[in-house]
Amino acid sequence: MIRVRGVSRTFVEARTSARVPALDGFELEVSRGEFLAILGPSGCGKSTLLRLLAGFDRADAGLVEVDGAPVTAISPRRLLVSQDPALFPWLTAAENIGFGLRAQGRADPARVEALLVEFGLAGAGGRYPRELSGGMRQRVALARALAVRPDVLLLDEPFGALDALSRESMQALLEATWLASGATVVLVTHSVDEALRLADRVVVVSPRPARVVGSVVVESARPRRAGSHPELRERLMGWAVP
Amino acid sequence: MPAPERAAAGWAVAGFVAFVGLWALASGWIARPQVFPGPLSVAATAWERRLDLVDAAGRSGLRVGVGWVGASALAVPLGWAAGAVPPLDDELRRFTGLVRSIPPFAWLPLLLLWVGIGDTTSVLVCALGAFFPVLEGARTGSSQAPPALLHAARNLGASPARVLLAVRIPAALPGTFTGLRTGATFAWMSLVAAELVGADGGLGQLILDARNLARPDLAIAGMLCIGAIAWSVSGVLHQLERGARRWGVA
Ligand SMILES: Nc1ncnc2c1ncn2[C@@H]1O[C@H](COP(=O)(O)OP(=O)(O)OP(=O)(O)O)[C@@H](O)[C@H]1O
Ligand SMILES: [Mg+2]
């Protein structure tokens, strides 16, 4: 269970010393095992929120709590797949995917191989990140995160660089993995359709400083067809600020 | 050889030919071979004295090698640690700020007094010349390891030691090689200066002796030797650096 209470985070611009409040009194709760999608305009503070949840960054004020304990450090139980894939450039795709397992002393080449196949990267395991396309890099980053089976998966626009078809298959893969693992997922996305396709609940946040302006629960059975829920789509679009 | 490298090699050869040509013209025009010998007479002397040159180069090379390797063995880990731990870096800067500003050559009188003329003094001067550039390269490389990668590694469950070994050090390699290359150049320059003051053999001694014997041809042969060695060592390290850059953080 994730609990975010009155969280503020203000950045100071290096050149002008201007204060940039990314979050101001932000409130959010996510139940254990829930799939939550966050929609919001660019630059409103979504990545900042995920970085706080992952422990990459610290709030200036407020409470960030996971399973009853405040988040004070980075932990492999809460895995962030950042907007920029941050792959290790000196490791191959397969070595990147196996990094977490190796670091935790449970190297598992068979699992790495299986993930490569699942993520449509069979045959690319020996390539270095600079030899992969943007979409392939995102898939490696997601596979690298899933390899360690985190309790909480924080996804920052993981499918942004994918074409429509592989996006579709990655969504299906993510949904299947989530259903099998019982993990809690917080997905930041720019796509209303993606949010409605995957999430149990979708929240819309305001321009910076981010604040939840609306929330809908999506109750229909999975797997969902693309373009279902026109009425929810309408409501979400209504909250969106152009 | 890829086209850009072929072009670079072509330019290097053309530059060398132009240099030798100008040199031949200048010495022919001055026409005083006992003061400014031409390339042919220097080549003849170099061939005639090849054993002396090789011996001197060997002695110098050994001193630089030992000094540079010794200094690097200390400076590289220290630089990596300083780049990883900002308070240690601040402390190190406070501690070495004054010392690093002293040219290695300025240590010579003191070293001659303490250790005397000999290989140890020359090696120490080389080590002093190499130490700070290598430290700086390793420190810069290590401190500029991308935070996104350090975060990702910790997020995936890597211990601090593993983050250092598996992420920070690989990311620091290009900068470290730059430092090693600069350090080698500094060590070599410091050495020749040290040998000019006093040493048992070596290229610095050889050109000093040549001056005392009024043999500018031998002095120039020695100088060219010094230049050629420094240039090739730097070239090899430059290739390693490029390799690390290609392989490392793009
Ligand atoms: N380290 C930083 N220093 C200064 N300003 C920052 C820093 N990080 C983020 N910001 C600012 O905070 C605001 C929120 O950034 P954030 O990355 O969270 O936005 P976002 O909602 O993820 O946007 P996008 O959808 O474009 O990814 C932006 O205005 C950004 O400029
Ligand atoms: Mg973002």
Side-chain angles (χ1 to χ4, degrees):
Chain A
M1 157 104 161
I2 297 172
R3 181 176 288 142
V4 178
R5 283 264 168 276
V7 161
S8 301
R9 180 73 176 95
T10 298
F11 296 105
V12 179
E13 226 170 68
R15 196 175 56 83
T16 56
S17 309
R19 294 166 60 79
V20 181
L23 299 171
D24 185 14
F26 192 84
E27 306 272 334
L28 184 71
E29 270 186 26
V30 191
S31 322
R32 184 188 284 256
E34 185 177 8
F35 196 130
L36 179 84
I38 299 180
L39 288 169
S42 181
C44 71
K46 304 180 297 295
S47 298
T48 304
L49 175 69
L50 290 195
R51 291 169 55 80
L52 291 174
L53 289 171
F56 284 24
D57 192 12
R58 217 53 75 71
D60 303 321
L63 180 74
V64 179
E65 224 178 56
V66 174
D67 290 335
V71 171
T72 52
I74 295 176
S75 151
R77 300 181 49 212
R78 286 172 273 113
L79 233 139
L80 172 62
V81 179
S82 54
Q83 211 163 351
D84 155 51
L87 301 178
F88 305 111
W90 50 84
L91 299 182
T92 62
E95 289 166 340
N96 264 284
I97 294 174
F99 185 94
L101 293 168
R102 239 178 308 119
Q104 299 178 22
R106 38 192 188 107
D108 189 346
R111 179 155 167 75
V112 171
E113 198 49 50
L115 283 165
L116 280 168
V117 173
E118 260 188 330
F119 280 79
L121 295 161
R127 291 204 224 155
Y128 288 95
R130 63 170 180 281
E131 299 165 339
L132 301 172
S133 73
M136 288 166 104
R137 279 182 221 145
Q138 284 191 325
R139 280 179 277 161
V140 173
L142 187 57
R144 181 176 74 172
L146 290 175
V148 301
R149 302 184 200 277
D151 299 338
V152 178
L153 195 54
L154 307 164
L155 303 175
D156 202 345
E157 291 178 49
F159 308 137
L162 296 185
D163 63 278
L165 285 179
S166 30
R167 195 169 176 129
E168 184 67 33
S169 70
M170 284 301 112
Q171 288 168 350
L173 184 57
L174 174 61
E175 183 172 50
T177 316
W178 167 70
L179 285 170
S181 69
T184 309
V185 177
V186 179
L187 168 76
V188 165
T189 175
H190 280 153
S191 159
V192 177
D193 292 323
E194 181 167 284
L196 289 173
R197 157 91 176 72
L198 290 172
D200 294 327
R201 186 160 57 104
V202 184
V203 300
V204 178
V205 294
S206 66
R208 186 175 65 76
R211 201 176 302 249
V212 176
V213 291
S215 147
V216 301
V217 174
V218 193
E219 272 171 331
S220 60
R222 299 166 183 275
R224 299 178 189 138
R225 279 183 306 105
S228 48
H229 308 296
E231 67 306 333
L232 293 182
R233 198 172 199 289
E234 281 299 306
R235 277 174 68 193
L236 292 172
M237 297 302 273
W239 285 313
V241 181
Chain B
M1 231 193 287
E5 280 175 35
R6 204 163 35 218
W11 281 111
V13 170
F16 182 73
V17 170
F19 169 72
V20 173
L22 284 175
W23 173 16
L25 279 177
S27 76
W29 183 61
I30 292 171
R32 288 174 64 197
Q34 66 283 11
V35 179
F36 188 22
L40 283 178
S41 83
V42 168
T45 306
W47 178 248
E48 185 191 312
R49 301 285 299 269
R50 60 191 180 276
L51 292 181
D52 294 336
L53 282 168
V54 167
D55 174 71
R59 284 167 192 262
S60 293
L62 194 64
R63 288 171 189 147
V64 173
V66 172
W68 177 69
V69 168
S72 303
L74 208 63
V76 167
L78 197 59
W80 283 344
V85 186
L88 174 65
D89 188 30
D90 295 341
E91 214 40 55
L92 199 66
R93 278 173 186 283
R94 247 196 297 284
F95 198 67
T96 60
L98 182 65
V99 179
R100 74 161 75 211
S101 317
I102 301 172
F105 192 49
W107 284 89
L108 255 184
L110 209 56
L111 287 174
L112 287 173
L113 200 65
W114 289 344
V115 198
I117 291 183
D119 284 346
T120 314
T121 298
S122 318
V123 167
L124 283 175
V125 171
C126 290
L128 280 166
F131 186 79
F132 290 107
V134 176
L135 181 71
E136 191 54 32
R139 189 198 69 82
T140 309
S142 154
S143 71
Q144 288 174 355
L149 297 186
L150 299 169
H151 278 149
R154 276 169 56 205
N155 201 187
L156 289 161
S159 64
R162 197 174 187 101
V163 172
L164 180 73
L165 290 176
V167 181
R168 196 180 281 279
I169 290 176
L173 283 185
T176 306
F177 277 114
T178 308
L180 287 170
R181 185 162 58 87
T182 318
T185 309
F186 273 57
W188 190 240
M189 294 205 257
S190 315
L191 173 90
V192 173
E195 285 181 347
L196 280 171
V197 171
D200 177 20
L203 287 168
Q205 270 290 295
L206 183 130
I207 56 181
L208 191 69
D209 289 346
R211 189 208 73 132
N212 292 339
L213 298 170
R215 288 289 303 274
D217 49 342
L218 185 58
I220 293 175
M223 286 162 60
L224 289 175
C225 242
I226 291 171
I229 292 172
W231 192 51
S232 19
V233 169
S234 171
V236 168
L237 290 172
H238 193 67
Q239 284 308 314
L240 287 177
E241 188 184 325
R242 278 182 40 175
R245 241 176 246 293
R246 214 176 358 243
W247 168 80
V249 189

